[in-house]
Amino acid sequence: MNITPFDAPLGAKVSGLDLSLTLDEHSFSDLYAAWLEHSVLVIPDQSLTELALVEFSQRLGQLELPPASETRARGDGGASLPEIWTISNVKVDGVAIGGLGNFEADWHTDMSYLETPPIASVLYAREIPEVGANTSFADMYAALDSMPAGLRQRLSDIRVQHDSAYTSVGTLRDGATKVGDASEAVGAIHPAVRTHPETNRQALYMGRRLNASIQNMPMEQSEGLLDEIWSFCTQRQFVYEHVWQIGDLVMWDNRCTIHRRDAFDSEQRRIMWRTQVNAR
Ligand code: OGA
Ligand code: MN
């Protein structure tokens, strides 16, 4: 196995690995250590069955099942195992086979509105458009480390109210109620700075911008500070942008990264299989 860090603050490419075969304990622990070190791993040229993807993902932790809304239509390239989330714009009889459509997904970390958010997400490319739909990752250790002292000081004790109503592409989740402004958001509250339980490094943990607010701070002041933090932590210098190839498997650490996705042409097909991993 070869680990080649990208020319970016986070992310590395892993070659010499075939995830359709069961990794021995030694290789798995090398891979896991590289993942903790680089936060995002890209493992290209994989040819995986649904079961192989599930079995590999389960070694990272317990899998979170997709909500019913993500599995309304199966078939036409959508996954059929219950552990796999399909991320796709493809429709069968007018019903999407998966989530997120062809829309832009704004910067976020997955499901930060839960009390115990998932630690990892794994995305495996089955079909991709000719152009577009790149996925970018930003390093929340680096963002925190390089923050100007004044700003760093202002967020040392703050806690953020997260919003559970909207997806990363801004659509209302099934069963959720519309949120008029951030004061109406329903979701978990997390400190803005958290210590990663495995690396023991401090990372910025902001979730997403939409309908977020800082606890015990007047709304106007909260909006201003959140805008400042978000425009700082999403700067190019903290980002690795992934251009997909079919067969790429990308696994990211939700505790210390955020990600976004570009929109793409609705006439093109994109089908990704995804798993979401909870702490063991
Ligand atoms: C996700 C996500 C981005 C993409 O699956 O959580 O944000 O590139 N996906 O589809
Ligand atoms: Mn996401």
Side-chain angles (χ1 to χ4, degrees):
M1 179 190 328
N2 274 309
I3 315 278
T4 315
F6 295 126
D7 183 16
L10 78 171
K13 177 176 140 176
V14 183
S15 51
L17 205 58
D18 180 353
L19 297 177
S20 69
L21 309 172
T22 304
L23 292 186
D24 60 59
E25 269 312 316
H26 186 76
S27 307
F28 182 77
S29 72
D30 285 354
L31 184 73
Y32 196 86
W35 178 63
L36 287 180
E37 182 180 349
H38 300 289
S39 306
V40 177
L41 293 182
V42 175
I43 312 176
D45 297 322
Q46 300 301 305
S47 175
L48 302 181
T49 59
E50 292 186 40
L51 190 60
L53 176 61
V54 167
E55 285 180 350
F56 169 69
S57 304
Q58 274 169 340
R59 295 182 75 173
L60 300 168
Q62 273 185 346
L63 300 190
E64 169 95 15
L65 301 186
S69 56
E70 300 279 335
T71 56
R72 270 189 290 250
R74 295 289 202 174
D76 198 16
S80 52
L81 284 184
E83 293 88 349
I84 299 186
W85 310 49
T86 302
I87 302 296
S88 184
N89 64 320
V90 172
K91 291 183 176 174
V92 173
D93 298 331
V95 181
I97 65 167
L100 305 187
N102 68 312
F103 310 111
E104 175 181 347
D106 207 354
W107 285 110
H108 67 282
T109 184
D110 292 330
M111 296 200 173
S112 61
Y113 53 85
L114 299 178
E115 289 302 329
T116 312
I119 63 166
S121 304
V122 180
L123 202 53
Y124 173 56
R126 300 269 304 161
E127 287 186 51
I128 55 169
E130 275 161 37
V131 289
N134 294 352
T135 308
S136 295
F137 298 89
D139 186 335
M140 295 299 100
Y141 295 128
L144 188 67
D145 287 346
S146 40
M147 207 169 253
L151 185 56
R152 177 73 183 79
Q153 174 71 36
R154 284 162 66 206
L155 56 79
S156 43
D157 290 322
I158 67 177
R159 294 163 69 79
V160 177
Q161 164 75 59
H162 295 249
D163 167 52
S164 58
Y166 296 91
T167 69
S168 58
V169 295
T171 52
L172 199 62
R173 288 178 208 279
D174 266 24
T177 314
K178 267 192 183 167
V179 176
D181 69 54
S183 69
E184 296 172 5
V186 177
I189 294 162
H190 298 291
V193 176
R194 304 190 314 172
T195 302
H196 190 297
E198 296 188 88
T199 64
N200 291 317
R201 297 181 61 193
Q202 286 198 316
L204 187 62
Y205 190 75
M206 300 306 291
R208 64 196 65 188
R209 178 65 186 90
L210 183 67
N211 293 327
S213 63
I214 299 171
Q215 267 212 308
N216 303 323
M217 195 180 269
M219 193 51 80
E220 205 176 316
Q221 205 183 326
S222 161
E223 291 285 305
L225 182 50
L226 286 175
D227 285 344
E228 214 176 312
I229 298 168
W230 276 103
S231 60
F232 183 82
C233 74
T234 53
Q235 291 175 93
R236 203 71 221 170
Q237 78 228 49
F238 304 128
V239 172
Y240 162 69
E241 179 172 355
H242 187 60
V243 181
W244 292 92
Q245 302 293 327
I246 289 171
D248 283 351
L249 180 142
V250 177
M251 52 192 274
W252 65 85
D253 190 332
N254 275 309
R255 298 164 290 189
C256 52
T257 64
I258 54 174
H259 56 279
R260 65 171 299 280
R261 179 189 84 185
D262 294 334
F264 59 98
D265 180 356
S266 60
E267 298 299 310
Q268 301 255 322
R269 287 164 63 94
R270 186 178 192 259
I271 301 179
M272 318 293 273
W273 289 351
R274 174 187 192 282
T275 55
Q276 190 163 287
V277 183
N278 290 325
R280 275 174 231 273

